[in-house]
Amino acid sequence: MSSQLYFQLITPLIFLVFAMGFGLIYRYTSDQDSARYFAISYLFGAIAFVLDICRSLIPGIIDNMVSNLAYMLSAGLFSVALMAHYRRKKPWAVLSIIGLVALCTSYYFMLIDDDMAVRALVLNFFGSLLLGYPVIALRGMKRRPIDRLIYWVVAFTVVQFQLRTIIVLMIEGSTLSEETYSGSLSAVTFQLLTSVSALLMALALFAMFGMEIVLKLRRNSETDILTGLLNRRGVEAKLPEFENALANGVKSHGVLVLDIDHFKEVNDTFGHSAGDEVLVACANLLKELKVEQSIVSRVGGEEFNVVLYNVDENTAKLVAEYACSAFSNLTHPAIDNKVVTVSIGVALWDVDASFAEATRKADTALYRAKSGGRNRVVVARTKIVQFQTRGAERRAS
């Protein structure tokens, strides 16, 4: 086997390896649909280069027609993959039109007016349009460093397609033919620069997918799966910000501990599925508090915690009273439109106490709220505030 053939096989091998890599990402991640399109794009790229190598084994017209189609599909699907990854509309219609015009024009200069130099210029030009669509569509989008890297690698690939083609055709355009193509400067530079571009793009994309998978794993480890709220680990990750604020002059934060009243009876009467729906609805209500920089978490069972940033006792009490009132007026279809109430303990977290100490005080206040009749707010070392339930007879107890 000649050294030239070894060199030619490197490019389809690179494309095939990365196609398999993207396929594995798609196979083992549930939210990376773009990886499927990247995998198919790289697969078509591998097929196209293999067909280029097999020019001597397959009739020229058939080989050219199929390889040109594979190249266009590879470029177009890559653009679709990028658009899909950034949650943009997949431009099937536009890319299909560009690809169809490219193929029809190249087939014209193959079957009717045979001119390989013009055909190469046409295919590279329209291939650049297909690959360059995201460069225009995603321009100005706020990006992470890895996204900017991918953007500029794609832009570089588009530019090099154009410049390389023009320069090479100026050098050897008049001598380029089917017989001389395999060893021509056009073929060698195309394979080399495409290999480099494909490698750079794939490595950047794998880095991006890796970062997103790690971020997702971290987010899942810090998030309650049922409600989407933070769990204990998620709260601990955010506490340093609150601790730093206390060290830098913020006087206090508010800590609210909420517990759904008679939740066991909800599960026993309506089932755990209905209980889960109630928990989700309660979590959504807490999310709607929209207190700036607050932490809302589910710490287990029917218990929730809210940490309010830079508030005094009166503000923390007002937020707790609002939440208690809102719960007592929220009906739940899953339990025959009954309401569930909450008891809330409130405490202040200041520079003289730790978060754990403030939470213990709020827990003690919650216990007082429970033992005092439920559906009420108790602030540590202060009086009880009770709330009326919307239609007492509708309460799930």
Side-chain angles (χ1 to χ4, degrees):
M1 188 180 290
S2 67
S3 58
Q4 181 182 346
L5 184 55
Y6 275 119
F7 173 73
Q8 289 176 324
L9 286 172
I10 290 175
T11 303
L13 182 60
I14 289 173
F15 272 80
L16 186 59
V17 168
F18 286 128
M20 294 172 62
F22 288 122
L24 289 173
I25 291 175
Y26 174 68
R27 172 67 177 80
Y28 291 104
T29 57
S30 59
D31 60 344
Q32 297 291 357
D33 188 54
S34 61
R36 171 177 57 170
Y37 296 109
F38 283 123
I40 300 172
S41 169
Y42 271 77
L43 179 60
F44 274 117
I47 292 171
F49 278 103
V50 168
L51 289 170
D52 258 354
I53 296 171
C54 298
R55 282 174 178 268
S56 61
L57 303 176
I58 303 173
I61 292 178
I62 295 176
D63 182 276
N64 283 333
M65 293 180 72
V66 178
S67 64
N68 291 347
L69 175 61
Y71 280 129
M72 294 299 106
L73 286 172
S74 179
L77 285 167
F78 188 91
S79 290
V80 168
L82 273 182
M83 298 297 287
H85 188 79
Y86 291 111
R87 305 292 189 268
R88 300 296 182 90
K89 183 179 178 181
K90 302 181 187 71
W92 293 113
V94 174
L95 297 180
S96 297
I97 292 171
I98 295 173
L100 185 60
V101 172
L103 291 172
C104 289
T105 307
S106 68
Y107 293 159
Y108 174 84
F109 287 104
M110 180 192 308
L111 302 174
I112 299 174
D113 183 9
D114 189 9
D115 190 325
M116 190 165 190
V118 175
R119 193 161 72 239
L121 185 63
V122 166
L123 288 172
N124 280 275
F125 172 75
F126 283 103
S128 298
L129 288 182
L130 288 172
L131 196 60
Y133 183 91
V135 175
I136 304 300
L138 300 176
R139 183 179 55 188
M141 185 184 72
K142 292 182 178 180
R143 304 181 187 91
R144 302 162 296 179
I146 188 65
D147 299 318
R148 288 195 292 271
L149 175 61
I150 292 169
Y151 180 89
W152 287 113
V153 169
V154 175
F156 161 78
T157 303
V158 171
V159 172
Q160 69 88 5
F161 265 129
Q162 298 286 350
L163 292 179
R164 181 201 63 82
T165 305
I166 294 171
I167 294 171
V168 168
L169 291 180
M170 287 175 63
I171 296 173
E172 64 174 13
S174 60
T175 61
L176 196 61
S177 65
E178 290 290 343
E179 291 74 22
T180 62
Y181 176 77
S182 294
S184 68
L185 180 64
S186 177
V188 172
T189 56
F190 176 69
Q191 291 173 359
L192 176 62
L193 291 176
T194 303
S195 297
V196 172
S197 296
L199 182 63
L200 290 176
M201 286 191 291
L203 292 176
L205 289 168
F206 277 124
M208 176 187 69
F209 281 122
M211 291 168 61
E212 292 179 355
I213 290 170
V214 169
L215 181 63
K216 180 184 176 183
L217 291 173
R218 178 181 175 183
R219 187 165 54 242
N220 287 345
S221 72
E222 296 177 351
T223 304
D224 175 60
I225 296 175
L226 176 64
T227 63
L229 297 178
L230 294 176
N231 57 22
R232 290 182 187 273
R233 180 179 292 180
V235 173
E236 289 172 0
K238 290 187 174 294
L239 287 181
E241 177 186 346
F242 286 69
E243 292 167 345
N244 290 337
L246 291 174
N248 290 310
V250 170
K251 291 185 178 180
S252 61
H253 308 303
V255 178
L256 279 57
V257 179
L258 303 84
D259 190 85
I260 299 176
D261 299 328
H262 303 291
F263 187 70
K264 182 177 182 302
E265 296 180 23
V266 171
N267 283 332
D268 291 344
T269 304
F270 298 97
H272 289 277
S273 178
D276 286 347
E277 290 188 42
V278 170
L279 287 172
V280 171
C282 292
N284 290 337
L285 190 154
L286 289 174
K287 292 176 187 177
E288 292 173 2
L289 289 176
K290 295 180 179 178
V291 178
E292 185 178 0
Q293 293 181 274
S294 62
I295 300 174
V296 182
S297 63
R298 180 188 176 205
V299 294
E302 64 272 25
E303 186 174 313
F304 300 87
N305 277 18
V306 179
V307 185
L308 302 172
Y309 182 84
N310 190 21
V311 298
D312 57 19
E313 182 177 288
N314 286 334
T315 303
K317 178 183 172 185
L318 285 173
V319 173
E321 291 172 353
Y322 172 81
C324 196
S325 177
F327 273 103
S328 66
N329 286 280
L330 177 66
T331 59
H332 300 273
I335 56 173
D336 297 337
N337 286 320
K338 289 182 169 61
V339 301
V340 293
T341 60
V342 294
S343 300
I344 305 177
V346 180
L348 278 188
W349 172 22
D350 56 28
V351 71
D352 295 324
S354 66
F355 173 72
E357 291 170 334
T359 301
R360 281 195 293 272
K361 290 181 181 179
D363 273 329
T364 302
L366 171 64
Y367 177 78
R368 291 174 56 202
K370 288 286 188 181
S371 60
R374 297 181 172 84
N375 187 28
R376 61 193 63 205
V377 173
V378 172
V379 182
R381 298 190 304 274
T382 61
K383 64 180 181 179
I384 294 174
V385 181
Q386 183 177 6
F387 287 84
Q388 294 295 318
T389 305
R390 178 184 176 183
E393 72 284 353
R394 299 169 69 187
R395 182 164 173 243
S397 58

